[in-house]
Amino acid sequence: MNEELPLRTDAPVRVLLVDDSEDDAYLLRAELGRRGMAIECRRVDCALDMAAALAAEDWDIVLADHHMPGFDALAALDVLKRSARDVPFIIHSGQISSRQAISAMYDGVDDYVSKGDYERLVPVIERELRGARARRAVRHADSRIQQLAFFDGLSALPNHHLFCNKVNDAIRDSQERGRPPAGAVLVVDIDRFMRINASFGYETGNELLRHIGQRLREGLGPEVVLARLGGDEFGVFLPGAGDRGSVEMLAGWIVRSFDRPLMKDRIELFLTASVGVAMIPTDGEAVLDLLMNAETAIRQIKRDGGNGVRFYERTMNAASAERLALESDLRHAVERGELFLEYQPVISARHLGAVGAEVLVRWQHPRLGRLSPDRFIPMADETGLIVDIGAWVLGEATRQARRWLEVGHERVRVSVNVSAVQFAQPRLLEVVADALRDSALPPASLVLEITESSLMTDVESAVGMLRALKNMGVQVAVDDFGTGYSSLSYLKRLPIDIVKIDKSFVRDLCEDEGDAAIVRAIIALAGNLRLSTIAEGVETAEQAEVLRAAGCDFLQGFHFSRPVPLERLVFSTPPC
């Protein structure tokens, strides 16, 4: 394509004139101006002044006389080449032969115009300016292609491809030098980041990822390679690192860097990170193997709740393979009828009879037998399977509650746990509405238990969801209340019905006056706000009596009953 760029611009052409005559400089400005080309001109006549001018300012073109005392056009061309500036160079001289001019153009001169031939000089300058612009456009396009190919568009950090190249290059360089490769590959995974996207939207999530990338970049040394691998994962490469202790210190700093909150609309958001580490060469000498092993270590951290550092160990592969198989089985557990429900009674503190039940999901694995919730619920949360499992539990629970109603237990309520992942899904409202409609259960007979930590992640969004649930007529309980995520003052802001006092306060209730004071404060405040209270983890008659004396409304724990199959569940007849 031979498309020409505009010949005239409003800005004057910046000319660096290499000439020993001030008169010639004045004449050049005047003659080019008469022909419609405004210029800004600076004259130099020695190598030192020319080099200083090139270093200090940007120039559109260089015009050089060929023969000057102690300095000529070819010497000026050498000065330009050493500056590495892409500036067109034109000899404008009356003392150069055609043979010399052609030889100079082989050396890199762009053109030769006899001094005084301004009619030819103007189009030559315009042609060279177009050429320079075209080269700049090509360089910009190349730079843009490089940026798109090797850098993350969101964070401007190196992307997965460039990260892998840098790790491979470092390993190959060591091998070519005859040295064993050394270093560490870290994968940084933001814990439960999907809740941010679900609560605030992807724009906010992207903004937080940019802040996280910037925070990590500012805290890591220049020799450390930091990249965004994709999603909410970052990669860190420490070339040459052989000391496991120093790597652990850096990984610990990464985890602690999340102690400072990230701000969103003046709201403090606290995130945590899990960091998996693979060492070179013990854990691999291929970057993809190192990344895979670091992510295997992360999965171990996630199973322990996240927010930590773990080095890869070979024994993890077997556990990882078992987990993948278990995850695959869990995806089919509902349709195969392997999940079932148990019920833990909720006891009236007034007459000590069961007036409701909390539904708890269990899994009868065809090969591994009965699995505790700790084996599969965290996995369901992490993979998002909890959404479908939760919908199944809600449907089964409401249908069973309807059957209790039909046999005369009109005041019995069924409680269903809602995970943080479920609560962050707008679809929760639809799932609850479908379960109530399909079972014909009165909404007031259903209690949804939502953990305090889920509500505190984004209080404003939580309030909106709770109001929508309340408008449907269901009851809402705050589960695990008092575990440190919020204060008692938050109770008045949340549209809830029930406060469940966490079992950690009930456990030492009779020995620890501090726990007893907290429990009494929660019960008193809930009473003032006309909220019911349920104490979890009641394991002794003494605990039950202290709670009853403090005014707690309902009790739940092994002292009364462990979770039991449906056929062993017995409700009391007195009203609650």
Side-chain angles (χ1 to χ4, degrees):
M1 189 170 77
N2 200 18
E3 179 182 349
E4 291 198 350
L5 300 174
L7 301 184
R8 296 284 190 269
T9 63
D10 294 335
V13 178
R14 295 178 53 77
V15 177
L16 181 59
L17 179 63
V18 184
D19 202 310
D20 60 349
S21 171
E22 185 63 46
D23 291 341
D24 285 353
Y26 176 81
L27 185 60
L28 177 72
R29 280 191 293 265
E31 290 296 332
L32 293 182
R34 286 180 55 235
R35 288 163 175 79
M37 179 177 286
I39 68 169
E40 289 181 1
C41 181
R42 177 175 173 182
R43 186 183 66 82
V44 294
D45 57 10
C46 68
L48 186 62
D49 288 348
M50 182 179 177
L54 288 169
E57 300 180 62
D58 292 327
W59 301 97
D60 296 320
I61 203 153
V62 175
L63 296 180
D65 194 1
H66 178 61
H67 185 69
M68 296 170 287
F71 196 48
D72 62 15
L74 294 181
L77 180 62
D78 285 340
V79 173
L80 177 62
K81 288 179 178 178
R82 287 196 298 271
S83 75
R85 297 292 188 95
D86 180 12
V87 183
F89 188 100
I90 299 171
I91 293 179
H92 183 227
S93 177
Q95 299 184 26
I96 185 171
S97 67
S98 297
R99 183 179 60 81
Q100 288 175 315
I102 292 171
S103 176
M105 292 177 72
Y106 276 112
D107 286 335
V109 171
D110 293 291
D111 210 334
Y112 157 71
V113 178
S114 297
K115 186 168 282 190
D117 188 357
Y118 298 107
E119 293 300 329
R120 181 168 183 269
L121 182 59
V122 170
V124 168
I125 291 175
E126 290 177 335
R127 183 196 69 210
E128 293 305 322
L129 291 178
R130 283 197 299 269
R133 272 185 230 157
R135 290 193 298 274
R136 282 196 298 271
V138 170
R139 285 196 300 271
H140 178 74
D142 287 343
S143 175
R144 182 61 179 153
I145 291 170
Q146 178 96 350
Q147 188 75 20
L148 292 173
F150 295 108
F151 290 86
D152 173 54
L154 176 66
S155 65
L157 293 172
N159 62 13
H160 189 284
H161 185 61
L162 182 55
F163 182 81
C164 291
N165 285 350
K166 286 183 176 292
V167 176
N168 280 331
D169 288 347
I171 293 173
R172 185 166 51 250
D173 182 65
S174 294
Q175 292 169 338
E176 289 174 353
R177 293 170 182 265
R179 298 197 304 255
V185 170
L186 291 72
V187 174
V188 182
D189 184 283
I190 315 303
D191 297 327
R192 295 172 287 277
F193 192 78
M194 62 185 300
R195 291 193 300 176
I196 296 294
N197 289 332
S199 300
F200 295 98
Y202 284 94
E203 276 302 313
T204 295
N206 289 341
E207 182 182 346
L208 293 180
L209 289 173
R210 280 192 290 270
H211 286 317
I212 290 168
Q214 181 179 355
R215 182 180 292 182
L216 293 176
R217 180 68 279 167
E218 290 173 352
L220 296 172
E223 76 285 357
V224 177
V225 178
L226 172 67
R228 180 172 176 242
L229 302 179
D232 58 6
E233 281 194 344
F234 293 84
V236 178
F237 173 48
L238 280 69
D243 177 21
R244 186 181 174 112
S246 62
V247 175
E248 188 168 13
M249 285 180 60
L250 184 137
W253 173 85
I254 292 174
V255 171
R256 290 191 302 276
S257 72
F258 287 84
D259 291 345
R260 286 184 291 137
L262 295 157
M263 302 301 296
K264 195 274 178 185
D265 295 337
R266 292 183 293 181
I267 297 174
E268 291 185 340
L269 296 176
F270 288 90
L271 299 175
T272 60
S274 299
V275 180
V277 184
M279 299 293 293
I280 303 170
T282 55
D283 300 329
E285 294 187 20
V287 64
L288 294 182
D289 291 341
L290 292 162
L291 287 171
M292 180 181 67
N293 291 338
E295 290 178 352
T296 298
I298 283 178
R299 285 194 289 272
Q300 297 285 329
I301 306 170
K302 297 282 191 181
R303 280 203 284 276
D304 295 334
N307 192 28
V309 177
R310 187 72 58 88
F311 282 76
Y312 169 76
E313 299 171 4
R314 295 187 183 276
T315 55
M316 292 178 180
N317 282 336
S320 179
E322 179 185 341
R323 186 181 187 281
L324 288 174
L326 199 62
E327 179 183 324
S328 177
D329 291 341
L330 184 59
R331 292 183 182 276
H332 303 287
V334 172
E335 61 190 61
R336 292 172 180 167
E338 295 168 4
L339 298 183
F340 64 97
L341 301 181
E342 288 190 334
Y343 303 82
Q344 185 169 36
V346 175
I347 307 299
S348 167
R350 183 161 54 89
H351 59 75
L352 298 182
V355 294
E358 179 181 352
V359 174
L360 302 166
V361 64
R362 302 291 188 255
W363 184 10
Q364 185 67 35
H365 192 279
R367 177 172 53 86
L368 301 175
R370 177 176 170 136
L371 299 181
S372 68
D374 292 344
R375 288 285 302 277
F376 67 92
I377 292 298
M379 180 193 303
D381 267 330
E382 184 180 335
T383 59
L385 292 173
I386 194 67
V387 175
D388 291 334
I389 292 174
W392 175 82
V393 171
L394 192 61
E396 290 293 306
T398 51
R399 281 189 288 273
Q400 181 55 53
R402 177 64 192 181
R403 287 192 284 270
W404 293 335
L405 192 83
E406 291 170 349
V407 296
H409 297 299
E410 297 180 359
R411 294 181 176 272
V412 166
R413 293 178 300 190
V414 64
S415 299
V416 178
N417 291 288
V418 176
S419 76
V421 176
Q422 289 173 277
F423 189 67
Q425 299 284 328
R427 181 170 168 258
L428 176 63
L429 298 174
E430 178 185 345
V431 170
V432 173
D434 289 346
L436 292 172
R437 184 190 63 248
D438 294 344
S439 65
L441 180 71
S445 297
L446 174 64
V447 179
L448 296 180
E449 296 191 7
I450 303 163
T451 61
E452 181 187 13
S453 56
S454 301
L455 298 175
M456 292 303 106
T457 300
D458 175 11
V459 175
E460 298 307 320
S461 296
V463 168
M465 175 63 83
L466 293 177
R467 282 180 180 150
L469 291 170
K470 291 287 293 173
N471 289 338
M472 295 172 64
V474 303
Q475 298 206 5
V476 176
V478 179
D479 200 7
D480 301 337
F481 188 83
T483 50
Y485 288 89
S486 68
S487 65
L488 295 174
S489 61
Y490 271 104
L491 284 178
K492 64 182 180 181
R493 296 186 58 192
L494 300 174
I496 59 175
D497 304 280
I498 302 166
V499 174
K500 295 195 74 173
I501 304 169
D502 187 68
K503 59 187 176 183
S504 61
F505 297 109
V506 175
R507 182 176 54 245
D508 298 323
L509 179 67
C510 300
E511 293 80 25
D512 190 322
E513 182 53 36
D515 284 349
I518 291 173
V519 168
R520 286 195 296 269
I522 294 174
I523 293 171
L525 182 59
N528 291 334
L529 296 174
R530 298 186 178 180
L531 303 176
S532 299
T533 49
I534 300 177
E536 297 183 279
V538 181
E539 297 185 354
T540 68
E542 188 179 4
Q543 291 170 346
E545 286 306 312
V546 171
L547 289 164
R548 293 178 73 190
C552 187
D553 299 298
F554 302 99
L555 311 172
Q556 189 177 0
F558 290 174
H559 173 65
F560 300 101
S561 173
R562 293 176 177 271
V564 296
L566 177 64
E567 59 271 16
R568 291 174 52 192
L569 183 65
V570 179
F571 293 116
S572 63
T573 53
C576 63

